[in-house]
Amino acid sequence: MSVRPAWEVRENGGATRWFEFRLAFADGARVDALAVVGGGCVCVEEVRAEPALSLDDLAVLADWIEESVAEACGAGPGPDGCAGQGRRARPAWPRGAEGRRLVAQEYRAAQRDGADPVLAVMCATGHSRRTSLRLIGQARDAGLLSPRRARR
């Protein structure tokens, strides 16, 4: 995997950085991605793959990108705007009932503010989208969040 910084925006003492990723395989398959790092979160903004990726492959790609961004940013927060070393920089998050309560609290607060509730949980917990969705599901199962609406 190759990683290279694409651009950076500094604002209010913080920085948001974009990184371009390329995975090239011996059989000619290729994945290009663009990820943004800011506010302690890593978000994948764009993915182009030939041939197309399955949802499971996208989840694995997100984990690779998270680890690669941590390496590209180096250890610890610094002037370059990157915070910490990937998974080791994850904030302490309680397990069990207390963790589910806090997940529900973050989720509802984001909904109230008109923000993406899943992204809010991702940023608060430091977990990937997949893990955050699992935590949200556990909070729903515990009755702390309303059931999902059925899609039509």
Side-chain angles (χ1 to χ4, degrees):
M1 173 183 278
S2 69
V3 180
R4 69 178 198 151
W7 65 91
E8 178 177 340
V9 175
R10 291 188 179 274
E11 176 176 63
N12 298 328
T16 302
R17 297 177 69 191
W18 283 261
F19 292 88
E20 294 176 330
F21 297 84
R22 172 165 283 175
L23 283 125
F25 299 92
D27 64 358
R30 185 175 94 202
V31 178
D32 293 308
L34 180 66
V36 63
V37 178
C41 294
V42 177
C43 299
V44 178
E45 287 200 346
E46 182 178 334
V47 176
R48 293 183 185 176
E50 188 64 40
L53 297 174
S54 69
L55 290 176
D56 289 336
D57 292 338
L58 280 172
V60 170
L61 176 67
D63 288 340
W64 284 349
I65 286 174
E66 183 180 20
E67 292 168 10
S68 298
V69 165
E71 290 174 19
C73 290
D80 61 0
C82 291
Q85 279 261 357
R87 296 192 185 285
R88 282 173 247 162
R90 181 176 294 143
W93 194 260
R95 295 179 182 259
E98 179 64 14
R100 289 188 294 274
R101 187 185 66 72
L102 291 172
V103 163
Q105 182 180 336
E106 289 291 333
Y107 189 94
R108 286 191 305 268
Q111 279 184 321
R112 247 188 335 271
D113 296 340
D116 181 347
V118 176
L119 184 59
V121 171
M122 288 170 61
C123 289
T125 64
H127 288 293
S128 68
R129 182 172 190 83
R130 183 182 221 170
T131 302
S132 295
L133 286 169
R134 186 174 47 79
L135 293 171
I136 292 166
Q138 290 172 354
R140 284 188 200 289
D141 292 345
L144 300 169
L145 292 172
S146 60
R148 284 182 50 133
R149 290 182 227 136
R151 291 187 178 179
R152 295 180 187 189

